[in-house]
Amino acid sequence: MAPQPVVTGLSPKEGPPGTRVIIRGEFLGTRVQDLTGLKICGSDCLLSAEWKSPNKIIARTGPAKGKGDIIVTTISGGVGTSTVQFRAYHETIGPLKESAVWIEESPSQNFAWGRRTLTQSGLTQEDPLGLSIEGNEQKIPEDLRDLFPDACGDLSQENFSPAWFMLENHLATSFEDLKAGLAYLKRKVESQKEGQLSFLKSNAGSVIDQLDTLMNIRDKLQEDVKLHGTEPFNILEQSIENSISESQKIFTDVLVRKEKADSTRSVLFALSRHKFLFCLPNSVDRRAKAGEYDIVVNDYSRAKNLFGKTELAIFRQVLEEVDQRILLIRRQLHEKVVKMPQSVEQQKKLIKALTSLELQQSGTPIGDRLRNTDPAWDAIEARAKYLEATFRQTYEQHSNKDAGGTQEKSKSRDPSQAPSRVNFCEELCDIAASQLPDLWRLGQLYFTGELRGPHDPKPGDFKRMVLNAIDKFCVYLRLAILIAGDQRALRQASGLAWPIGSASATHHFLPWIPQCLRYTRIAYATLIGLDLPSEALDIIQKLIDEVRLFCFSIIFKRATDRCKKLGVHETWEMTVEDYPGATLLPATLETLLVETLDEVQSVCMQPEVREGNLLEPHSDGQREVTQRLQELLSTFSGVIAELAYPAHDDETTPTHNVSQLLGFPNTQQPESVSGVLSGSASVSWEQRMLCCLANYAYCNKSFFPHIGELFVRYGYPLPTLAIETARYNVNQLFTNLLEEYVEHKGDPLVGTIEPSMYLGRFQWDHEMEIGLGHLRPYAHECCDNLVGVYSEIYSISPALLRPILESIVQTISEELARLMSCVQRFSYTGAIQAHVDIRLLRDALDNYANETAKNYFMEALEAISPPLNSEQKRKADEILERVKHNMRLQMLCFGVKEP
């Protein structure tokens, strides 16, 4: 409760009734409606009070008399106190004083000789002591009224007090002067007591003139009687009587007019005094039209307090007319309360005015004609319905525009122009950010009691209303943004569907999804500041998480599309230190991935206020990250495969890099140098395959695990499933490509062994010259071709030597075992030569021979029939040593275990 009102200042401090008084103090009310009472010297002055501020009130005094306090009463502070007093007195009305009432103008009586004085005593009042009052102009002391409560110092009044007169007029006169004044007063009184003789003496001339005049009149009358008789006296008498009658009529008429004037003056005074009431019907209409409903409520309340219990018919008639006007204003107010759009402050003002007017008319016959159940709740429902209607209207406007533009050609679409979906999201978020807070604030005002009506509040209904509005907001955003979501479920739940546009329109919309997310987040931040219940905010948070995840998906799909074009930018530069032969293609992918992760982090993955973590274990976000990374890495693996198998029309048919001239080594050399191939246009198919195999191996060994570490650095959980799946796919592609390369290199090489072996109708059962220490052409051919393959692989990626050569060596050993097993009989020298050929190949390729190849070599040696004796073995060993010495370079090439 506010402090008690205190009056500390007053101007003026005295005066007659109707004096305009300025009252100053503290806590004199917070507004006009707070002032409920004002008494000055016990007289009620509320009707004339004008509240200016909590420290100032202007009013006019009532018909009080004497000293008294100024008591201010307010709703907030109650009955107040006063530290100052006002002195009220009744002013004497003289002939020169303006007055609004009838004043008897009978002159003062001078009882000397019973005659009336010719002039008013009030005009020629002199000092009865015959003294000058100059120098005695002093203000009456404040306590003079207290000393003489029923007296005054006016000589013409019945309650004249000599003491008052002396204190008022001769406060500074000396005692000697006062004695002289007393002597003067006595002489004046004695002079009035001398009688008729003294009067005649002083007026002898006048008396003689009067006697002469009377004598002349008598003589004239006697002459008239002689001439005309006594009838003139009758005529004179009749004239006098007529004059008396006429004067009586005139007097009566004057009295009637005086009464009418008094009545008119009383009426005018009543109208002036109660002007507030008589002007109230038009005043409330005028104030209502101007929107000043607080003044209407205040004026109506004052009228009810002042005249509500009056018995005067005219007052009751005016009050009934005012009640009718107020009833009409209540109807208008209720219509304005539910009329949208309008601000919360305007609605609040209207609801308060309507509630106050309804409360003042409650319990009366006129009030029962219109009962507004709960205007505040009606305003809340109207605002909620308007919000939903605005959502629906905005949705239909933009969706119809999008439906009408589906036939628009993609060539005429401006990429910089936002699609209708984006404009819809922006407008819808603006509506939610501006109108949902208004709805919530109006509800809070209602439930805190500021706008509550006579009925109990409905918190459950309001909560359901807010939740429904937020749910509608989220449904419309889902329809516009989540184009890849379950639109069928949304259509079944809401009965709405955004028109399906062309593929180009969808492609045009996807880059704008982060902007839609930004609009949604701005609206969400606005609603967070309202202290909404968690249940309402969770609805929007779920939508934002879905949009964030969808935005992540779109960004990664765009990165996947860019990844499909990485092969165009392949320069075949082999500058990867960790894995020779690997090109810059993985590094290009890493750059693309870093750009994508930066974009994702800034756009959607970094949670803002009251947003969840999308990367919770076993969450949709983590599954989406795994799926998108898996798609990206799978696409990258496909790009490598496309580079390994070019589909260009100008690509020459791959040639087998194997010499077809038996007995001569392969003379083709790889067209590469260490680090950089000589232009992508001149890169051979074999070199492409080797680079792609190196890229596969590098991805499997270190690059894909490095991608996992990159995701961890950006705050993601380690995408183990995506990495391992990608590694498995790369292994499969590596195996397939390796088989393709081995088949391309190994089949021609193996295919030349048998023709070279039987060149020139050679047969193993014929004797031959073996002392020169040479190999048969097929062995030389096989060894030289392997050196050529070795050189080609080594120049690209030495790490690929073992997996490629092992497969080729196994195929060669299997072919040798088959050919040897097909020979029926070996000659003495043929057995030695076959033994030397097979042993040389076995020893030279020992580092690249697996167990299966070694077994095949052993089968080939065992297939020589008959087996070699000791002499043959000794000669074979000698020839083998000479051959190894002659082929030491080839042997050295294959002798490096870890190239």
Side-chain angles (χ1 to χ4, degrees), residues 98-164:
E98 293 183 3
S99 175
V101 296
W102 183 274
I103 300 297
E104 293 293 341
E105 298 178 354
S106 58
S108 301
Q109 297 288 334
N110 189 340
F111 294 100
W113 307 109
R115 298 181 64 190
R116 295 177 182 267
T117 59
L118 298 177
T119 58
Q120 294 276 347
S121 62
L123 300 176
T124 60
Q125 190 179 68
E126 297 179 355
D127 187 71
L129 299 180
L131 300 175
S132 174
I133 63 173
E134 184 177 358
N136 287 280
E137 297 89 353
Q138 296 187 9
K139 190 176 181 181
I140 302 174
E142 287 293 333
D143 57 350
L144 206 56
R145 284 285 179 184
D146 299 333
L147 295 175
F148 308 100
D150 298 326
C152 71
D154 191 352
L155 292 171
S156 62
Q157 299 297 322
E158 296 178 358
N159 58 346
F160 169 73
S161 172
W164 183 301

Side-chain angles (χ1 to χ4, degrees), residues 9-15 19 21 67 84-88 142:
L10 193 65
S11 177
K13 294 186 178 180
E14 62 180 7
T19 302
V21 180
K67 278 191 174 182
V84 295
Q85 289 185 324
F86 182 82
R87 185 176 70 84
E142 287 293 333

